[in-house]
Amino acid sequence: MIGNEIENALQALQQGGLILYPTDTVWGIGCDATNPDAIRKVYDLKRRADSKALICLVSDIRMLEKHIYELPDVAYDIIELATRPTTIIYDKPLNVAPNLVAEDDSLAIRVASDEFCQKLIRKFKRPIVSTSANISGEPTPSHFKEISSEILKGVDYVVNLHRDKKNSNPSSIIKLTNDGVVKVIRK
């Protein structure tokens, strides 16, 4: 079952489409983090200002290192010691679409802990966007059944896994700068 879902989601991602998928936190809208047109579709679907940055997921530390100019040493400790999903905002991202990078030249990235996400990203060989499956300003759905029909109709593929599972909270967010500043954005 998981293999079929990975193949179907992979096909949508490779064609520049949007997927709706379960993550290690909440249901997410995803796309190829290196494809500016796909990222524009996410902003349009969510009716979100493109000045509000999106998060992306990587499969592991090796992939993370390929997408950050300089990975601060403390990032390894935070990732290893975190007891819940933790997104880190890094300076100077590399090899992602320009419209994914925030105005201050930073990018929020999380190493996925969910098995489906890890396998999908590894097979795709690129980071994928992960933003909550809601219209901007509306509550984040805690169950699949709470996702609006507008979101469901606006994506190219809806992953058929974990639809009966209650989602956990959004990830913690920490900002790390290359000059050593650590700032908690969301606990």
Side-chain angles (χ1 to χ4, degrees):
M1 174 92 175
I2 193 170
N4 288 340
E5 292 305 310
I6 288 171
E7 289 304 317
N8 293 337
L10 190 61
Q11 184 175 19
L13 291 171
Q14 289 168 335
Q15 294 172 352
L18 305 185
I19 62 170
L20 181 64
Y21 66 111
T23 73
D24 45 3
T25 57
V26 298
W27 273 85
I29 299 168
C31 71
D32 179 352
T34 67
N35 182 330
D37 294 332
I39 291 164
R40 167 65 27 226
K41 290 179 196 175
V42 173
Y43 278 114
D44 291 347
L45 176 60
K46 285 185 64 85
R47 290 190 241 142
R48 183 175 175 142
D50 59 11
S51 59
K52 293 186 118 189
L54 300 171
I55 291 171
C56 73
L57 299 180
V58 294
S59 58
D60 52 38
I61 295 282
R62 282 191 324 259
M63 184 179 281
L64 175 62
E65 291 169 339
K66 292 177 185 172
H67 293 282
I68 299 299
Y69 176 73
E70 181 182 343
L71 197 61
D73 288 339
V74 70
Y76 296 97
D77 293 332
I78 292 170
I79 293 165
E80 184 180 324
L81 300 173
T83 57
R84 58 179 285 216
T86 301
T87 301
I88 301 176
I89 302 171
Y90 299 96
D91 287 340
K92 298 183 180 174
L94 301 170
N95 308 314
V96 294
N99 59 341
L100 187 59
V101 178
E103 290 175 359
D104 66 352
D105 196 25
S106 68
L107 179 61
I109 303 177
R110 183 168 71 251
V111 176
S113 58
D114 174 80
E115 177 190 14
F116 170 78
C117 291
Q118 284 180 337
K119 287 182 176 181
L120 175 62
I121 297 164
R122 269 193 201 107
K123 194 147 188 180
F124 189 50
K125 297 183 174 117
R126 291 190 292 272
I128 59 174
V129 165
S130 179
T131 183
S132 57
N134 60 310
I135 301 299
S136 195
E138 293 183 3
T140 300
S142 61
H143 287 89
F144 176 80
K145 65 184 178 195
E146 295 174 359
I147 298 170
S148 74
S149 61
E150 185 175 350
I151 295 292
L152 290 166
K153 291 175 187 169
V155 298
D156 299 288
Y157 186 70
V158 179
V159 173
N160 189 19
L161 294 171
H162 310 304
R163 291 188 180 184
D164 55 350
K165 185 173 124 184
K166 185 179 187 315
N167 291 354
S168 62
N169 295 320
S171 67
S172 298
I173 300 179
I174 296 171
K175 182 167 177 63
L176 295 182
T177 61
N178 287 345
D179 57 6
V181 175
V182 178
K183 182 179 178 186
V184 176
I185 306 290
R186 180 172 67 199
K187 287 188 177 185

